[in-house]
Amino acid sequence: MPSSPTTSDTPYAGLTPEAVLDALDTVGLRGDGRLIQLNSYENRVFQVFLEDGSVVVAKFYRPGRWSDAQILEEHAFAAELAEAEIPVVAPQRFGDTTLPSFTIEGQAYRFSVTPRQSGRAPELEDPAILEWIGRFIGRIHAVGARASFTHRLTLNLQSHGTTPRDWLLGSGLIAIETQTAWKHVVDQVLDEAQRSFDAAGAYRPIRLHGDCHVGNVLWTEAGPHFVDLDDALMGPPVQDLWMLLSGERQQMQQQLTALLTGYEDFMEFDWRQLRLIEALRAMRMIHYSAWIARRWADPAFPVGFPWFGDRNYWSEQIIRLRDQLDAMREPPLGGSAF
């Protein structure tokens, strides 16, 4: 296991329930004393019951992760989507900002407030539901293609591949007996990913949700509702589609067909990007290991990821990355014509 913190210690130590309520009070939201901490590792997120009977969700951003400009750009994108009548939860505005701050024991916490959005997980085995979700992703991308982010990240091989690989190799957190084998397979994976990007050809990055997995899509009677734009970035449109695919190859092909049937009602899809699916999946695996390692000083991470960091973890990653390398070498979903 990682033996010592490598990032700032306990970034949320002062964020008590009382402090959360005090922060909301500064923007005119009076809590009735009830709040529930929601599942989130990167930020701290609370469902807060207000005296007027309404319920809001308050997100306190991890200090040092995003700049104010990056967060505000995310908020502006959410507002633009909501204005286009796309079902996303956009932060509330307080005066001239959607990003107020509150200082606790010398630590400034930036936060946002959104209305509570309830819902359930979508039934992804139903092609009609996937087609419905695909239509809304197409609408998100049609808005996302209107302009570019200036401050937020761009998803590419460096940001989600070579940079996390190099950071992990220099961190001392990879079990020494597995480090050589892990580096070897990661290098192979990234070489194959480069070939996938080369084969897919040039594309114009657009603004994306960025983390469009089933946990960030709530199903309501009105259809899908998209939450958590925290990882919004520039990148290839297929990034917002592949995380909704699961199962055996035939199942994923059927799911993809349904998604794209709906998607192309609103946005043309470059089918060459199907070559990127397994490369993006491999890059996410590498990036995910680095994400956990970078946050290990936060007490929530050792509790939430007790299996991380020992020899067994890295040995399992080597096996998974080798399997992923094989998947990357298969013809893309949709056939080799793409």
Side-chain angles (χ1 to χ4, degrees), residues 27-47:
V27 294
L29 300 178
R30 297 282 297 177
D32 68 7
R34 295 177 295 159
L35 74 167
I36 301 170
Q37 184 168 343
L38 303 179
N39 184 30
S40 176
Y41 289 104
E42 182 69 346
N43 305 301
R44 291 295 181 269
V45 183
F46 302 88
Q47 181 173 282

Side-chain angles (χ1 to χ4, degrees), residues 92-131:
Q92 296 181 22
R93 179 169 291 277
F94 302 99
D96 61 355
T97 187
T98 54
L99 187 65
S101 66
F102 183 73
T103 299
I104 308 166
E105 298 178 355
Q107 173 66 64
Y109 289 98
R110 301 161 298 169
F111 65 96
S112 64
V113 180
T114 58
R116 178 181 62 174
Q117 173 62 49
S118 59
R120 64 183 187 275
E123 298 175 3
L124 297 186
E125 65 273 11
D126 185 338
I129 287 179
L130 281 170
E131 187 173 336

Side-chain angles (χ1 to χ4, degrees), residues 193-256:
Q194 182 64 67
R195 283 189 281 273
S196 297
F197 275 87
D198 291 343
Y203 65 89
R204 182 173 72 89
I206 66 170
R207 293 177 296 173
L208 305 172
H209 181 288
D211 196 26
C212 196
H213 58 73
V214 66
N216 283 334
V217 182
L218 298 178
W219 195 261
T220 70
E221 292 183 359
H225 207 105
F226 296 85
V227 298
D228 194 4
L229 285 167
D230 197 53
D231 289 303
L233 42 59
M234 300 290 294
V238 73
Q239 168 67 13
D240 278 350
L241 298 169
W242 74 264
M243 277 185 275
L244 296 169
L245 309 179
S246 62
E248 299 297 325
R249 183 181 176 86
Q250 183 176 357
Q251 291 175 283
M252 289 194 293
Q253 181 63 67
Q254 293 169 345
Q255 294 161 359
L256 179 65

Side-chain angles (χ1 to χ4, degrees), residues 35-292:
L35 74 167
I36 301 170
Q37 184 168 343
L38 303 179
N39 184 30
S40 176
Y41 289 104
E42 182 69 346
N43 305 301
R44 291 295 181 269
V45 183
F46 302 88
Q47 181 173 282
V48 184
F49 297 80
L50 303 182
E51 288 183 347
D52 65 6
S54 62
V55 184
V56 297
V57 173
K59 177 192 288 187
F60 289 78
Y61 292 89
R62 177 175 293 273
R65 189 206 178 191
W66 297 120
S67 68
D68 287 359
Q70 288 172 319
I71 297 173
L72 290 170
E73 201 165 48
E74 172 212 330
H75 291 182
F77 184 42
E80 187 179 353
L81 294 173
E83 187 177 351
E85 300 184 347
I86 297 170
V88 301
V89 181
Q92 296 181 22
R93 179 169 291 277
F94 302 99
D96 61 355
T97 187
T98 54
L99 187 65
S101 66
F102 183 73
T103 299
I104 308 166
E105 298 178 355
Q107 173 66 64
Y109 289 98
R110 301 161 298 169
F111 65 96
S112 64
V113 180
T114 58
R116 178 181 62 174
Q117 173 62 49
S118 59
R120 64 183 187 275
E123 298 175 3
L124 297 186
E125 65 273 11
D126 185 338
I129 287 179
L130 281 170
E131 187 173 336
W132 200 341
I133 292 172
R135 285 197 293 272
F136 276 104
I137 295 175
R139 290 181 62 192
I140 290 172
H141 287 185
V143 172
R146 294 176 185 170
S148 299
F149 286 136
T150 301
H151 303 286
R152 296 192 70 83
L153 300 178
T154 296
L155 171 61
N156 53 40
L157 195 60
Q158 178 177 348
S159 68
H160 285 61
T162 58
T163 295
R165 176 202 62 188
D166 294 346
W167 187 90
L168 282 167
L169 288 172
S171 70
L173 299 179
I174 302 175
I176 190 65
E177 58 268 48
T178 62
Q179 183 169 310
T180 299
W182 182 85
K183 180 181 184 302
H184 179 69
V185 70
V186 168
D187 288 347
Q188 288 182 301
V189 162
L190 294 181
D191 286 345
E192 192 65 36
Q194 182 64 67
R195 283 189 281 273
S196 297
F197 275 87
D198 291 343
Y203 65 89
R204 182 173 72 89
I206 66 170
R207 293 177 296 173
L208 305 172
H209 181 288
D211 196 26
C212 196
H213 58 73
V214 66
N216 283 334
V217 182
L218 298 178
W219 195 261
T220 70
E221 292 183 359
H225 207 105
F226 296 85
V227 298
D228 194 4
L229 285 167
D230 197 53
D231 289 303
L233 42 59
M234 300 290 294
V238 73
Q239 168 67 13
D240 278 350
L241 298 169
W242 74 264
M243 277 185 275
L244 296 169
L245 309 179
S246 62
E248 299 297 325
R249 183 181 176 86
Q250 183 176 357
Q251 291 175 283
M252 289 194 293
Q253 181 63 67
Q254 293 169 345
Q255 294 161 359
L256 179 65
T257 298
L259 282 169
L260 288 177
T261 297
Y263 183 93
E264 291 206 305
D265 284 346
F266 293 93
M267 186 73 175
E268 184 179 359
F269 181 72
D270 181 354
W271 289 71
R272 297 176 303 167
Q273 288 193 16
L274 297 183
R275 294 182 177 273
L276 300 180
I277 290 176
E278 298 305 331
L280 291 168
R281 194 190 309 275
M283 290 158 57
R284 186 175 176 86
M285 293 165 63
I286 300 165
H287 188 268
Y288 187 67
S289 290
W291 174 72
I292 298 175

